[in-house]
Amino acid sequence: MPILDDKVMQEVKKALEKMQKPVTLELFSQSFECGYCKETHQLLEELSAANPLLSMKLHQFESDADAVKQFGIDKIPAIAVIGEKDYGIRFYGIPAGYEFSSLLSAILLVSTGIYKLTTETKAFLDNLKKPVHLQIFVTPTCPYCPPAVMLAHQMAFYSEKVKADMVEISEFPHLAQKYSVQGVPRTTINEKWFVEGAAPEAMLIAKIKESL
Amino acid sequence: MLDFNLNLSATADPSELYDVIIIGGGPAGLTAGLYAARYKLKTLMMEKEMVPGGQLIATQWVENYPGFPEPVLGQKLAKDMEEQAKLFGLEIMREDVESVQLSGEIKEVKTPYNTWKAKTILIATGSSPRKLGLADEAKYAGNGVSYCATCDGPFYPDKVVAVVGGGNSAFEEALFIAKYARKLYLIHRSDSFTADSILQERVKAEPKIELIPNTVVESLAFAENPRHLMIKNIVSNKESKLTVDGIFIFIGSIPNTGLFDGQLELENGYIKSYPDNATSIEGVWVAGDVQEKKLRQVATAVGDGANAAHAINSYLLHRQA
């Protein structure tokens, strides 16, 4: 039985019509001790059948050490959204629920190159000297989370210095402990700095500045 | 069972002149959007959130909106309203409005990315949760302080939480959080509650919930271990410590009128409405929670939205003639 019902699949096909350049979803999975690997795999299989420009490639997390290193993967299931190059856009945990929109947005972002960032943000990112790692902790049922994920992914797309991960926190309880996540979305900047809620673009930039 | 929601922003054209721009995508805005699109008006909705629906999105169950004998999920109702409006051609832009220019024949709506133009504007910006106003309240928002039970309730499995408020939202959301929490204190500054009696009965029947009436929260001591609140009984003036893992605040809402400061007539802090949901400025209408009125419910918001869209359609027809 398909994981995406007919209605959603029609919406997906329509949305993906906007694709321009090919996109590969690099999936990291394993057959044991992984809550949603199987479902994530099936999801990507169905998605990659929805448009000829979209494909998926499966890597085994426990055995495919080169790919794991190349894409910097540290937990599974993981998806790296790769276009002409690797922009540092990652999804850890299944992008289900509201996060499905974040995945589709990331695919379209990488494929069309169309992003929405303010002049101020671009100016800041142009002058960024140090690397910035954004982790957005989300749950699939959080309707306020995708904007935070999409903003971070757009910054990663725009700047080589920025990497951005969606982290579906209910699949990684040890990270919820480590980063004391009690609400979502929660954005961490370079492991140490936190922004609660879906911060507007200017606020996130201000916080990144503060962290550097 | 996994579900997959697709909510991608429209890709509307900023050089267009729209018949109407609706600011806010709650039940009022979505209903107006449905009607306006069905009147074949060139309609654009500006919604700052990814998912339209306004406060419906943060509401677990709706059981007093007619047509649903079984309680309906707030998020489901919002999604259905959105889909219905989109069927008729409503375009929803995910952009946060920064400023508006309401006077004159052509109105302008500025976002960080574009300036949108329209012949008419419908304000449906709704309201936002009221804060308690405690020191550190903002600091712990999302990390012990919450205004959204459906968002954050599941983070308190087997935990002890406080819920502040005495109205329908506080009681409804307390019942939802009680599904997760081990113990829930419902704190209210008076001993009479404005929540509907049916909710009061349910809360009283829930063994996990303990009512603490006539009490206010004085401070959050969330930096200490264990986390606790300082509360004060306002009848006896006695202060005490209440150990909790988190606090949920449902003490009403404040209208989102900031964008219109100095441009529109207000009444009691809300936007003053005239017959047919008109405002003090020609070509500008208002609907939903942001409007001055007695009852703020989904049922009244959809009525406002339909009325306003109808009035806008008549106005545009008249202007063309």
Side-chain angles (χ1 to χ4, degrees), chain B residues 157-183:
Chain B
D158 287 321
K159 300 277 172 68
V160 179
V161 298
V163 169
V164 185
N168 280 338
S169 294
F171 277 60
E172 275 168 10
E173 305 306 317
L175 287 164
F176 173 70
I177 300 162
K179 285 189 209 160
Y180 300 92
R182 167 162 53 90
K183 170 87 192 171

PDB file of all heavy atoms in Angstrom, chain B residues 157-183:
ATOM      1  N   PRO B 157       5.185  14.182  29.191  1.00  0.00           N
ATOM      2  CA  PRO B 157       4.672  12.891  29.614  1.00  0.00           C
ATOM      3  C   PRO B 157       5.070  12.625  31.068  1.00  0.00           C
ATOM      4  O   PRO B 157       6.235  12.825  31.430  1.00  0.00           O
ATOM      5  CB  PRO B 157       5.350  11.903  28.656  1.00  0.00           C
ATOM      6  CG  PRO B 157       6.601  12.590  28.236  1.00  0.00           C
ATOM      7  CD  PRO B 157       6.300  14.065  28.247  1.00  0.00           C
ATOM      8  N   ASP B 158       4.113  12.260  31.888  1.00  0.00           N
ATOM      9  CA  ASP B 158       4.382  11.955  33.296  1.00  0.00           C
ATOM     10  C   ASP B 158       5.001  13.113  34.065  1.00  0.00           C
ATOM     11  O   ASP B 158       5.646  12.905  35.083  1.00  0.00           O
ATOM     12  CB  ASP B 158       5.270  10.712  33.431  1.00  0.00           C
ATOM     13  CG  ASP B 158       4.490   9.459  33.106  1.00  0.00           C
ATOM     14  OD1 ASP B 158       3.307   9.411  33.509  1.00  0.00           O
ATOM     15  OD2 ASP B 158       5.030   8.578  32.427  1.00  0.00           O
ATOM     16  N   LYS B 159       4.827  14.322  33.557  1.00  0.00           N
ATOM     17  CA  LYS B 159       5.381  15.485  34.238  1.00  0.00           C
ATOM     18  C   LYS B 159       4.269  16.208  35.007  1.00  0.00           C
ATOM     19  O   LYS B 159       3.085  15.891  34.872  1.00  0.00           O
ATOM     20  CB  LYS B 159       6.016  16.443  33.224  1.00  0.00           C
ATOM     21  CG  LYS B 159       7.166  15.846  32.411  1.00  0.00           C
ATOM     22  CD  LYS B 159       8.466  15.903  33.183  1.00  0.00           C
ATOM     23  CE  LYS B 159       9.596  15.168  32.509  1.00  0.00           C
ATOM     24  NZ  LYS B 159      10.050  15.783  31.266  1.00  0.00           N
ATOM     25  N   VAL B 160       4.697  17.176  35.786  1.00  0.00           N
ATOM     26  CA  VAL B 160       3.753  17.990  36.550  1.00  0.00           C
ATOM     27  C   VAL B 160       3.702  19.377  35.914  1.00  0.00           C
ATOM     28  O   VAL B 160       4.742  20.011  35.726  1.00  0.00           O
ATOM     29  CB  VAL B 160       4.203  18.101  38.021  1.00  0.00           C
ATOM     30  CG1 VAL B 160       3.231  18.962  38.825  1.00  0.00           C
ATOM     31  CG2 VAL B 160       4.338  16.713  38.627  1.00  0.00           C
ATOM     32  N   VAL B 161       2.513  19.816  35.550  1.00  0.00           N
ATOM     33  CA  VAL B 161       2.419  21.120  34.898  1.00  0.00           C
ATOM     34  C   VAL B 161       1.351  21.991  35.551  1.00  0.00           C
ATOM     35  O   VAL B 161       0.422  21.491  36.196  1.00  0.00           O
ATOM     36  CB  VAL B 161       2.104  21.015  33.385  1.00  0.00           C
ATOM     37  CG1 VAL B 161       3.184  20.275  32.641  1.00  0.00           C
ATOM     38  CG2 VAL B 161       0.755  20.364  33.160  1.00  0.00           C
ATOM     39  N   ALA B 162       1.513  23.293  35.368  1.00  0.00           N
ATOM     40  CA  ALA B 162       0.492  24.245  35.784  1.00  0.00           C
ATOM     41  C   ALA B 162      -0.167  24.809  34.538  1.00  0.00           C
ATOM     42  O   ALA B 162       0.494  24.992  33.513  1.00  0.00           O
ATOM     43  CB  ALA B 162       1.126  25.368  36.589  1.00  0.00           C
ATOM     44  N   VAL B 163      -1.466  25.018  34.618  1.00  0.00           N
ATOM     45  CA  VAL B 163      -2.190  25.712  33.555  1.00  0.00           C
ATOM     46  C   VAL B 163      -2.807  26.943  34.200  1.00  0.00           C
ATOM     47  O   VAL B 163      -3.417  26.838  35.261  1.00  0.00           O
ATOM     48  CB  VAL B 163      -3.283  24.814  32.935  1.00  0.00           C
ATOM     49  CG1 VAL B 163      -4.197  25.613  32.018  1.00  0.00           C
ATOM     50  CG2 VAL B 163      -2.649  23.648  32.178  1.00  0.00           C
ATOM     51  N   VAL B 164      -2.641  28.105  33.584  1.00  0.00           N
ATOM     52  CA  VAL B 164      -3.183  29.326  34.151  1.00  0.00           C
ATOM     53  C   VAL B 164      -4.343  29.811  33.293  1.00  0.00           C
ATOM     54  O   VAL B 164      -4.213  29.896  32.065  1.00  0.00           O
ATOM     55  CB  VAL B 164      -2.115  30.439  34.225  1.00  0.00           C
ATOM     56  CG1 VAL B 164      -2.669  31.671  34.934  1.00  0.00           C
ATOM     57  CG2 VAL B 164      -0.873  29.934  34.938  1.00  0.00           C
ATOM     58  N   GLY B 165      -5.470  30.109  33.937  1.00  0.00           N
ATOM     59  CA  GLY B 165      -6.618  30.659  33.219  1.00  0.00           C
ATOM     60  C   GLY B 165      -7.915  30.066  33.719  1.00  0.00           C
ATOM     61  O   GLY B 165      -7.904  29.012  34.365  1.00  0.00           O
ATOM     62  N   GLY B 166      -9.019  30.731  33.431  1.00  0.00           N
ATOM     63  CA  GLY B 166     -10.311  30.254  33.912  1.00  0.00           C
ATOM     64  C   GLY B 166     -11.365  30.190  32.830  1.00  0.00           C
ATOM     65  O   GLY B 166     -12.541  29.960  33.102  1.00  0.00           O
ATOM     66  N   GLY B 167     -10.941  30.371  31.580  1.00  0.00           N
ATOM     67  CA  GLY B 167     -11.904  30.397  30.479  1.00  0.00           C
ATOM     68  C   GLY B 167     -11.948  29.082  29.713  1.00  0.00           C
ATOM     69  O   GLY B 167     -11.340  28.089  30.112  1.00  0.00           O
ATOM     70  N   ASN B 168     -12.658  29.119  28.597  1.00  0.00           N
ATOM     71  CA  ASN B 168     -12.809  27.909  27.797  1.00  0.00           C
ATOM     72  C   ASN B 168     -11.468  27.346  27.336  1.00  0.00           C
ATOM     73  O   ASN B 168     -11.248  26.137  27.395  1.00  0.00           O
ATOM     74  CB  ASN B 168     -13.656  28.205  26.558  1.00  0.00           C
ATOM     75  CG  ASN B 168     -15.140  28.224  26.878  1.00  0.00           C
ATOM     76  OD1 ASN B 168     -15.574  27.645  27.884  1.00  0.00           O
ATOM     77  ND2 ASN B 168     -15.917  28.891  26.062  1.00  0.00           N
ATOM     78  N   SER B 169     -10.572  28.227  26.882  1.00  0.00           N
ATOM     79  CA  SER B 169      -9.288  27.726  26.371  1.00  0.00           C
ATOM     80  C   SER B 169      -8.523  27.004  27.467  1.00  0.00           C
ATOM     81  O   SER B 169      -8.016  25.900  27.260  1.00  0.00           O
ATOM     82  CB  SER B 169      -8.420  28.872  25.858  1.00  0.00           C
ATOM     83  OG  SER B 169      -9.025  29.436  24.744  1.00  0.00           O
ATOM     84  N   ALA B 170      -8.443  27.630  28.646  1.00  0.00           N
ATOM     85  CA  ALA B 170      -7.693  27.022  29.747  1.00  0.00           C
ATOM     86  C   ALA B 170      -8.264  25.648  30.089  1.00  0.00           C
ATOM     87  O   ALA B 170      -7.526  24.674  30.267  1.00  0.00           O
ATOM     88  CB  ALA B 170      -7.722  27.934  30.965  1.00  0.00           C
ATOM     89  N   PHE B 171      -9.589  25.554  30.152  1.00  0.00           N
ATOM     90  CA  PHE B 171     -10.207  24.286  30.546  1.00  0.00           C
ATOM     91  C   PHE B 171     -10.070  23.224  29.463  1.00  0.00           C
ATOM     92  O   PHE B 171      -9.737  22.075  29.740  1.00  0.00           O
ATOM     93  CB  PHE B 171     -11.679  24.516  30.930  1.00  0.00           C
ATOM     94  CG  PHE B 171     -11.840  24.982  32.348  1.00  0.00           C
ATOM     95  CD1 PHE B 171     -11.261  26.170  32.778  1.00  0.00           C
ATOM     96  CD2 PHE B 171     -12.547  24.228  33.278  1.00  0.00           C
ATOM     97  CE1 PHE B 171     -11.378  26.603  34.085  1.00  0.00           C
ATOM     98  CE2 PHE B 171     -12.675  24.638  34.601  1.00  0.00           C
ATOM     99  CZ  PHE B 171     -12.102  25.828  35.006  1.00  0.00           C
ATOM    100  N   GLU B 172     -10.307  23.635  28.210  1.00  0.00           N
ATOM    101  CA  GLU B 172     -10.191  22.664  27.112  1.00  0.00           C
ATOM    102  C   GLU B 172      -8.759  22.139  27.005  1.00  0.00           C
ATOM    103  O   GLU B 172      -8.524  20.941  26.871  1.00  0.00           O
ATOM    104  CB  GLU B 172     -10.548  23.334  25.774  1.00  0.00           C
ATOM    105  CG  GLU B 172     -12.030  23.339  25.498  1.00  0.00           C
ATOM    106  CD  GLU B 172     -12.388  24.253  24.319  1.00  0.00           C
ATOM    107  OE1 GLU B 172     -11.477  24.728  23.612  1.00  0.00           O
ATOM    108  OE2 GLU B 172     -13.595  24.498  24.147  1.00  0.00           O
ATOM    109  N   GLU B 173      -7.823  23.065  27.054  1.00  0.00           N
ATOM    110  CA  GLU B 173      -6.429  22.665  26.858  1.00  0.00           C
ATOM    111  C   GLU B 173      -5.911  21.884  28.080  1.00  0.00           C
ATOM    112  O   GLU B 173      -5.087  20.988  27.934  1.00  0.00           O
ATOM    113  CB  GLU B 173      -5.551  23.872  26.529  1.00  0.00           C
ATOM    114  CG  GLU B 173      -6.022  24.709  25.321  1.00  0.00           C
ATOM    115  CD  GLU B 173      -6.242  23.920  24.033  1.00  0.00           C
ATOM    116  OE1 GLU B 173      -5.418  23.064  23.703  1.00  0.00           O
ATOM    117  OE2 GLU B 173      -7.266  24.159  23.359  1.00  0.00           O
ATOM    118  N   ALA B 174      -6.406  22.219  29.267  1.00  0.00           N
ATOM    119  CA  ALA B 174      -6.011  21.461  30.462  1.00  0.00           C
ATOM    120  C   ALA B 174      -6.423  19.997  30.303  1.00  0.00           C
ATOM    121  O   ALA B 174      -5.659  19.081  30.626  1.00  0.00           O
ATOM    122  CB  ALA B 174      -6.647  22.065  31.711  1.00  0.00           C
ATOM    123  N   LEU B 175      -7.617  19.787  29.780  1.00  0.00           N
ATOM    124  CA  LEU B 175      -8.081  18.402  29.575  1.00  0.00           C
ATOM    125  C   LEU B 175      -7.185  17.676  28.582  1.00  0.00           C
ATOM    126  O   LEU B 175      -6.905  16.487  28.729  1.00  0.00           O
ATOM    127  CB  LEU B 175      -9.534  18.400  29.088  1.00  0.00           C
ATOM    128  CG  LEU B 175     -10.558  18.762  30.161  1.00  0.00           C
ATOM    129  CD1 LEU B 175     -11.898  19.134  29.530  1.00  0.00           C
ATOM    130  CD2 LEU B 175     -10.747  17.598  31.144  1.00  0.00           C
ATOM    131  N   PHE B 176      -6.711  18.405  27.578  1.00  0.00           N
ATOM    132  CA  PHE B 176      -5.819  17.797  26.593  1.00  0.00           C
ATOM    133  C   PHE B 176      -4.454  17.470  27.218  1.00  0.00           C
ATOM    134  O   PHE B 176      -3.942  16.359  27.070  1.00  0.00           O
ATOM    135  CB  PHE B 176      -5.649  18.738  25.396  1.00  0.00           C
ATOM    136  CG  PHE B 176      -4.620  18.269  24.405  1.00  0.00           C
ATOM    137  CD1 PHE B 176      -4.860  17.156  23.608  1.00  0.00           C
ATOM    138  CD2 PHE B 176      -3.406  18.922  24.280  1.00  0.00           C
ATOM    139  CE1 PHE B 176      -3.910  16.708  22.705  1.00  0.00           C
ATOM    140  CE2 PHE B 176      -2.446  18.485  23.377  1.00  0.00           C
ATOM    141  CZ  PHE B 176      -2.703  17.380  22.585  1.00  0.00           C
ATOM    142  N   ILE B 177      -3.899  18.438  27.947  1.00  0.00           N
ATOM    143  CA  ILE B 177      -2.567  18.228  28.539  1.00  0.00           C
ATOM    144  C   ILE B 177      -2.617  17.103  29.577  1.00  0.00           C
ATOM    145  O   ILE B 177      -1.648  16.354  29.738  1.00  0.00           O
ATOM    146  CB  ILE B 177      -2.042  19.542  29.187  1.00  0.00           C
ATOM    147  CG1 ILE B 177      -1.934  20.641  28.139  1.00  0.00           C
ATOM    148  CG2 ILE B 177      -0.677  19.330  29.841  1.00  0.00           C
ATOM    149  CD1 ILE B 177      -1.862  22.043  28.714  1.00  0.00           C
ATOM    150  N   ALA B 178      -3.758  16.974  30.249  1.00  0.00           N
ATOM    151  CA  ALA B 178      -3.902  15.933  31.282  1.00  0.00           C
ATOM    152  C   ALA B 178      -3.746  14.525  30.710  1.00  0.00           C
ATOM    153  O   ALA B 178      -3.493  13.565  31.439  1.00  0.00           O
ATOM    154  CB  ALA B 178      -5.238  16.084  31.997  1.00  0.00           C
ATOM    155  N   LYS B 179      -3.875  14.397  29.392  1.00  0.00           N
ATOM    156  CA  LYS B 179      -3.663  13.086  28.778  1.00  0.00           C
ATOM    157  C   LYS B 179      -2.198  12.690  28.874  1.00  0.00           C
ATOM    158  O   LYS B 179      -1.856  11.525  28.817  1.00  0.00           O
ATOM    159  CB  LYS B 179      -4.039  13.139  27.290  1.00  0.00           C
ATOM    160  CG  LYS B 179      -5.505  13.168  27.037  1.00  0.00           C
ATOM    161  CD  LYS B 179      -5.718  12.987  25.546  1.00  0.00           C
ATOM    162  CE  LYS B 179      -6.975  13.673  25.107  1.00  0.00           C
ATOM    163  NZ  LYS B 179      -6.990  13.922  23.671  1.00  0.00           N
ATOM    164  N   TYR B 180      -1.314  13.689  28.934  1.00  0.00           N
ATOM    165  CA  TYR B 180       0.122  13.421  28.974  1.00  0.00           C
ATOM    166  C   TYR B 180       0.676  13.552  30.393  1.00  0.00           C
ATOM    167  O   TYR B 180       1.418  12.713  30.851  1.00  0.00           O
ATOM    168  CB  TYR B 180       0.869  14.399  28.053  1.00  0.00           C
ATOM    169  CG  TYR B 180       0.442  14.290  26.617  1.00  0.00           C
ATOM    170  CD1 TYR B 180      -0.570  15.099  26.116  1.00  0.00           C
ATOM    171  CD2 TYR B 180       1.025  13.347  25.776  1.00  0.00           C
ATOM    172  CE1 TYR B 180      -0.986  14.983  24.789  1.00  0.00           C
ATOM    173  CE2 TYR B 180       0.622  13.232  24.458  1.00  0.00           C
ATOM    174  CZ  TYR B 180      -0.385  14.048  23.971  1.00  0.00           C
ATOM    175  OH  TYR B 180      -0.787  13.935  22.672  1.00  0.00           O
ATOM    176  N   ALA B 181       0.322  14.655  31.042  1.00  0.00           N
ATOM    177  CA  ALA B 181       0.925  14.971  32.336  1.00  0.00           C
ATOM    178  C   ALA B 181       0.452  13.998  33.413  1.00  0.00           C
ATOM    179  O   ALA B 181      -0.613  13.395  33.315  1.00  0.00           O
ATOM    180  CB  ALA B 181       0.588  16.400  32.723  1.00  0.00           C
ATOM    181  N   ARG B 182       1.279  13.882  34.452  1.00  0.00           N
ATOM    182  CA  ARG B 182       0.916  13.041  35.595  1.00  0.00           C
ATOM    183  C   ARG B 182      -0.020  13.815  36.513  1.00  0.00           C
ATOM    184  O   ARG B 182      -0.944  13.278  37.114  1.00  0.00           O
ATOM    185  CB  ARG B 182       2.214  12.659  36.330  1.00  0.00           C
ATOM    186  CG  ARG B 182       2.065  12.046  37.697  1.00  0.00           C
ATOM    187  CD  ARG B 182       3.354  11.344  38.087  1.00  0.00           C
ATOM    188  NE  ARG B 182       4.526  12.214  37.962  1.00  0.00           N
ATOM    189  CZ  ARG B 182       4.976  12.992  38.945  1.00  0.00           C
ATOM    190  NH1 ARG B 182       4.374  13.009  40.120  1.00  0.00           N
ATOM    191  NH2 ARG B 182       6.036  13.746  38.763  1.00  0.00           N
ATOM    192  N   LYS B 183       0.261  15.128  36.607  1.00  0.00           N
ATOM    193  CA  LYS B 183      -0.496  15.965  37.538  1.00  0.00           C
ATOM    194  C   LYS B 183      -0.597  17.357  36.937  1.00  0.00           C
ATOM    195  O   LYS B 183       0.372  17.859  36.355  1.00  0.00           O
ATOM    196  CB  LYS B 183       0.282  16.016  38.873  1.00  0.00           C
ATOM    197  CG  LYS B 183      -0.212  17.013  39.865  1.00  0.00           C
ATOM    198  CD  LYS B 183      -1.310  16.406  40.703  1.00  0.00           C
ATOM    199  CE  LYS B 183      -2.022  17.481  41.510  1.00  0.00           C
ATOM    200  NZ  LYS B 183      -3.219  16.949  42.149  1.00  0.00           N
TER     201      LYS B 183
END
